[in-house]
Amino acid sequence: MIFNLTPSEVTFRNLTPHEVTLLHETSTTYPVDGPPPRVTTIENTDGFLHDDVNDLDVEIVVRSLSSTVTDLPDPQPGVILIVSRMTCEAKPHRTDLVYPEGIVRSPDNTPIGCRKFGRVRPTS
């Protein structure tokens, strides 16, 4: 287990740009509680490919995540931050970050909630 807290000791703060509804035994909706953290990305040109049909060169880029994240609060005891998966991936050592996982969609493919929260483990 990652968190050594009982449910009564945890406060969730939703820092995504939209409400997050956890579909559990009962549904719980977490309203937006601050600006969403933003991850800086790094873009490098990986070369060009030539499109013979249209006779043009298409640039190919490689994008990677930086560990720089703006608007991410410092960890606080007992506070778990609901953020984007990209934020979790940029900060894998932060044990206070989770993202919506197990997305449930309506028949028209609109997200209506999630079944659980996910976390990213740091690589060695």
Side-chain angles (χ1 to χ4, degrees):
M1 175 169 278
I2 296 166
F3 305 109
N4 294 322
L5 302 168
T6 62
S8 63
E9 296 174 320
V10 175
T11 300
F12 286 97
R13 285 189 60 205
N14 176 15
L15 299 183
T16 69
H18 47 77
E19 287 184 339
V20 171
T21 300
L22 181 64
L23 304 170
H24 213 255
E25 288 99 26
T26 60
S27 294
T28 301
T29 299
Y30 299 96
V32 175
D33 189 18
R38 297 290 180 208
V39 179
T40 301
T41 57
I42 301 164
E43 182 180 296
N44 293 301
T45 297
D46 196 38
F48 291 83
L49 295 176
H50 186 75
D51 177 349
D52 290 332
V53 174
N54 296 298
D55 193 30
L56 58 99
D57 291 325
V58 180
E59 181 180 14
I60 306 298
V61 297
V62 174
R63 186 174 300 275
S64 59
L65 297 180
S66 161
S67 62
T68 302
V69 179
T70 59
D71 292 325
L72 182 62
D74 291 332
Q76 296 178 355
V79 177
I80 304 299
L81 303 176
I82 305 167
V83 296
S84 69
R85 182 174 179 161
M86 182 184 278
T87 300
C88 286
E89 289 172 349
K91 295 291 188 182
H93 290 86
R94 290 276 302 259
T95 59
D96 62 327
L97 304 180
V98 297
Y99 63 90
E101 179 65 73
I103 303 299
V104 176
R105 297 181 178 275
S106 68
D108 69 353
N109 210 28
T110 303
I112 59 172
C114 65
R115 297 253 181 238
K116 53 194 166 190
F117 292 129
R119 184 166 179 282
V120 175
R121 284 194 189 268
T123 55
S124 55

